[in-house]
Amino acid sequence: MKVTLLGTGTSQGVPVIGCTCKVCRSVDYRDKRLRVSVHLQVGDKSIIIDSGPDFREQVLRERIRTLDALVFTHEHKDHTAGLDDIRAFNFMQQRDMPLYAEERVLKQLKQEFSYIFSGFKYPGIPQVQLHQIGNYPFEVEGVLFTPIQVMHYKLPVFGYRIGDFSYITDVNYISEEEKDKLRGSKVIVLDALRIEKHISHFSLQEAVQLLEELQPEQAYLTHISHLMGLHREVEQQLPDFIRLGYDGLQIEL
Ligand SMILES: [Zn+2]
Ligand SMILES: [Zn+2]
Ligand SMILES: [Zn+2]
């Protein structure tokens, strides 16, 4: 399996429009963060988790030429806004795009992209096939996904474990029961918004504490805000097995 971090930035991305802080002015490519998303290549299957507003740019950058399915973590705009751009794959692959999400998220997608689901199908709109999931393992094109239900303030959202890889974005609390599903992961990608505590995301310290408890071989932090600081400086303070993610980072496992 090859994992590519398509985006590692919080909902506004980094740089933030209009901001002149040192992170937003940084010329280090690792300080330029598109909205969070991840690409999984498992054998010949190509799967993306979340289609945020930067979906098109990310797919072009990584030269992703086929896409077999989209899996959603939750309905926030920074995870769904790019859905319209799956049209390119509809045209190329001549098939509907399978979307996997829980009932609440599917309902929200139907509202926000009502033209996709209306009775009258305007030519050229996205063609989708909906798959409702719950908190139990499911297969995406033969690839086994195990959901991990975590809390994002008051919103339950899904992280996913796929083999030895776990991906959890948008979280500030994980129950012991759900944490158990993460144990034994070789690689974990985990939410860490900034240094200071936040109502709906792990802070850097909270994320590091959890990773020290779970002890994966390697961990990467994601959903990072400009308030986290410069990539280069923050990395120096982290234990060796924890790195900040950056856009384009590839993990083979
Ligand atoms: Zn800034
Ligand atoms: Zn969110
Ligand atoms: Zn988010």
Side-chain angles (χ1 to χ4, degrees):
M1 166 163 55
K2 189 175 88 181
V3 177
T4 306
L5 301 185
L6 297 178
T8 57
T10 188
S11 60
Q12 300 197 75
V14 182
V16 175
I17 293 174
C19 185
T20 56
C21 80
K22 65 177 180 179
V23 176
C24 291
R25 282 184 294 115
S26 166
V27 293
D28 186 342
Y29 67 96
R30 296 169 306 174
D31 286 316
K32 306 207 180 299
R33 303 183 187 278
L34 297 179
R35 269 59 70 90
V36 288
S37 176
V38 68
H39 177 246
L40 310 172
Q41 185 71 45
V42 188
D44 64 344
K45 296 299 177 195
S46 166
I47 301 164
I48 288 180
I49 301 180
D50 291 335
S51 57
D54 303 311
F55 177 80
R56 174 177 173 276
E57 192 180 340
Q58 291 163 331
V59 165
L60 288 171
R61 187 192 71 213
E62 298 300 331
R63 298 187 177 86
I64 295 168
R65 298 206 169 89
T66 63
L67 184 60
D68 294 297
L70 263 181
V71 181
F72 291 94
T73 59
H74 66 305
E75 63 271 44
H76 285 162
K77 250 327 193 238
D78 54 324
H79 299 253
T80 60
L83 181 61
D84 189 72
D85 283 316
I86 58 160
R87 286 177 296 137
F89 292 110
N90 288 148
F91 297 142
M92 273 192 304
Q93 299 173 173
Q94 290 293 306
R95 63 181 286 228
D96 296 350
M97 180 62 65
L99 309 184
Y100 292 80
E102 61 183 311
E103 188 180 11
R104 187 197 73 231
V105 177
L106 290 178
K107 214 168 130 192
Q108 193 70 26
L109 289 175
K110 284 179 189 167
Q111 270 177 30
E112 294 190 13
F113 296 91
S114 59
Y115 63 98
I116 297 179
F117 302 95
S118 78
F120 171 69
K121 297 240 180 286
Y122 192 86
I125 62 169
Q127 305 289 325
V128 300
Q129 187 192 93
L130 302 184
H131 297 265
Q132 188 181 317
I133 59 172
N135 193 7
Y136 41 81
F138 62 96
E139 274 190 16
V140 178
E141 305 285 305
V143 179
L144 187 69
F145 275 63
T146 302
I148 296 142
Q149 190 174 61
V150 303
M151 293 308 291
H152 180 30
Y153 184 44
K154 289 184 176 165
L155 191 71
V157 317
F158 278 160
Y160 296 104
R161 178 165 181 170
I162 306 104
D164 289 331
F165 173 70
S166 294
Y167 180 75
I168 303 188
T169 174
D170 296 66
V171 56
N172 69 312
Y173 172 78
I174 309 180
S175 72
E176 286 303 317
E177 202 182 339
E178 296 297 307
K179 233 190 251 178
D180 283 343
K181 298 180 184 173
L182 291 167
R183 293 184 203 281
S185 298
K186 281 191 181 144
V187 177
I188 299 179
V189 173
L190 182 65
D191 182 8
L193 184 75
R194 62 184 193 192
I195 308 293
E196 257 177 64
K197 209 170 159 56
H198 188 269
I199 192 167
S200 62
H201 292 273
F202 279 147
S203 65
L204 180 63
Q205 195 193 353
E206 289 167 332
V208 168
Q209 260 170 19
L210 176 61
L211 291 167
E212 282 179 333
E213 181 190 333
L214 294 171
Q215 288 291 326
E217 285 174 18
Q218 189 70 56
Y220 299 95
L221 303 176
T222 193
H223 215 294
I224 294 167
S225 146
H226 64 150
L227 300 174
M228 179 70 93
L230 291 169
H231 185 98
R232 173 171 47 82
E233 290 177 4
V234 177
E235 279 226 305
Q236 285 167 7
Q237 307 159 21
L238 296 175
D240 275 350
F241 78 102
I242 304 176
R243 302 286 88 195
L244 288 191
Y246 58 85
D247 293 18
L249 177 78
Q250 294 196 339
I251 307 155
E252 301 260 2
L253 75 176

